[in-house]
């Protein structure tokens, strides 16, 4: 495969699907605030994951964000294209525009117990 066809196939892989019955329990940064091109915590830029049972949704308010799942799957997120984070799956993000503004919402299935997650400087 040529470089162009590989890039095309990677960009067209299927985004994970958020289960319909999950409940939002947290968001970073807090309401009325955003991560921006000037401020994305270092932990989000390197490969990391959520805990078992924790789903995430990356919501871009403006600009573009690269969302990488593992080594092979790369998505370009924008205001109309959210990124879905499956539990325990390694992922990272990278700014693709100066006007970037985004949040990460966290969800769990009902009755899965308390959430004990520590987020460094978020």
């Amino acid at each position: 495969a040529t470089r162009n066809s590989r890039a095309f196939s990677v960009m067209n892989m299927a985004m994970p699907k958020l289960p319909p019955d999950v409940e939002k329990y947290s968001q970073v940064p807090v309401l009325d605030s955003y991560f921006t091109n000037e401020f994305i915590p270092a932990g989000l830029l390197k490969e990391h994951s959520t805990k078992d049972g924790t789903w995430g949704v990356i919501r871009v308010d403006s600009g573009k964000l690269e969302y990488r799942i593992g080594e092979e799957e790369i998505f370009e997120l924008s205001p109309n294209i959210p990124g879905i984070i499956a539990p325990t799956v390694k992922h990272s993000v990278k700014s693709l525009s100066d006007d970037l503004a985004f949040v990460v919402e966290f969800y769990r299935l009902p009755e899965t117990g308390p959430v004990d997650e520590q987020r460094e400087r978020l």
Side-chain angles (χ1 to χ4, degrees), residues 27-76:
Q27 174 178 309
V28 292
V30 293
L31 293 176
D32 299 324
S33 184
Y34 295 96
F35 293 127
T36 66
N37 185 54
E38 291 80 32
F39 176 68
I40 301 175
L44 298 183
L45 298 171
K46 63 184 180 183
E47 198 170 69
H48 62 285
S49 65
T50 58
K51 295 197 180 235
D52 189 33
T54 298
W55 290 81
V57 178
I58 304 167
R59 295 206 191 273
V60 175
D61 186 68
S62 66
K64 294 182 188 241
L65 182 71
E66 178 182 289
Y67 171 42
R68 180 181 293 265
I69 303 173
E71 295 295 317
E72 297 296 319
E73 296 177 88
I74 303 170
F75 300 92
E76 185 175 296

